[in-house]
Amino acid sequence: MKLVRFGAQGQEKPGLIDSDGVIRDLSGIVHDIAGDVLTPEGLARIRAANPADLPAAPESVRLGACVARPGNFVAVGLNFADHAAETNNPIPSEPVLFNKAPNCVVGPNDDVMIPRGSTKLDWEVELLIVIGARARYVDEADALKHVAGYAICNDVSERNFQIERGGQWTKGKGNETFGPIGPYLLTADEMPDTSNLAMWLEVNGEKVQNGSTKTMIFGVAHLVSYISQFMVLDPGDLITTGTPPGVGLGMKPPRYLKAGDVMRVGIEGLGVQTQTVVPFKL
């Protein structure tokens, strides 16, 4: 299933995309795409519905973030061998973890706002894991049973905040609008293999990232298992899994986003996002 949230910001309704590409309103079936709705029991309620019996959403309706109100938003750094090389970092022996602020999550086509004081705003196409069952000290062999599905994440990053301001990477990863996710959540049963998905990102029509999940150092099952050794993952939590090469930081000379730039972000089987960069505003 392709699950979405649609409508004005703060007023989104749950939906699914039917076989004809029409968004169907699920608000009579589930309260939102979040938490217990993403458990096997919650997804079973959705699967039992006949899409043709559900009302259609208005055409050209805004898509919100495909998961509402995540409790935790975990990110994995330097998880692509070719990206580690472009940033002059060694390949990690264990996953590098940091957090993005859960409230940085926005819709897939919402604007990305330049933070106050930003000088090095960057892009990162990433595969997003959405948790569907509580994960606590999970074995890698059982890890995929805890995944509800997958989506695209643009792990927007401010490199000055992240690298040059001391402390942890979190500083440059959790600003407002730094977490566009969607356009839809594809349930895990429809994507049993995530090991070789094409990934790309364009800035103003120029393809700057053109990679594949095949160069991931740590795969989905390993990451879910590994992270569950350090924290409990609950249904609706998010894990964004690292980016292939082609980020602005790795260019020679480095290249960063400015107001008016447009990003298009895609992963095979998971659709496309489009964001416009806008100036800071209160």
Side-chain angles (χ1 to χ4, degrees), residues 72-91:
N72 200 356
F73 193 173
V74 185
V76 183
L78 302 173
N79 193 33
F80 283 63
D82 37 10
H83 172 59
E86 77 167 341
T87 56
N88 297 314
N89 282 288
I91 293 177

Side-chain angles (χ1 to χ4, degrees), residues 199-216:
M199 317 170 66
W200 54 270
L201 187 146
E202 296 175 352
V203 177
N204 300 330
E206 176 190 354
K207 187 170 282 187
V208 290
Q209 289 190 274
N210 189 19
S212 169
T213 56
K214 68 183 179 184
T215 66
M216 286 176 70

Side-chain angles (χ1 to χ4, degrees), residues 58-128:
E59 291 187 16
S60 303
V61 70
R62 170 188 173 270
L63 290 177
C66 58
V67 177
R69 302 179 301 279
N72 200 356
F73 193 173
V74 185
V76 183
L78 302 173
N79 193 33
F80 283 63
D82 37 10
H83 172 59
E86 77 167 341
T87 56
N88 297 314
N89 282 288
I91 293 177
S93 59
E94 295 191 36
V96 175
L97 304 182
F98 59 93
N99 280 88
K100 290 178 73 74
N103 65 0
C104 81
V105 170
V106 291
N109 304 314
D110 290 345
D111 291 340
V112 167
M113 185 174 66
I114 301 172
R116 178 183 280 173
S118 170
T119 58
K120 297 179 179 179
L121 189 66
D122 207 345
W123 57 83
E124 295 190 8
V125 55
E126 304 202 1
L127 175 69
L128 183 76

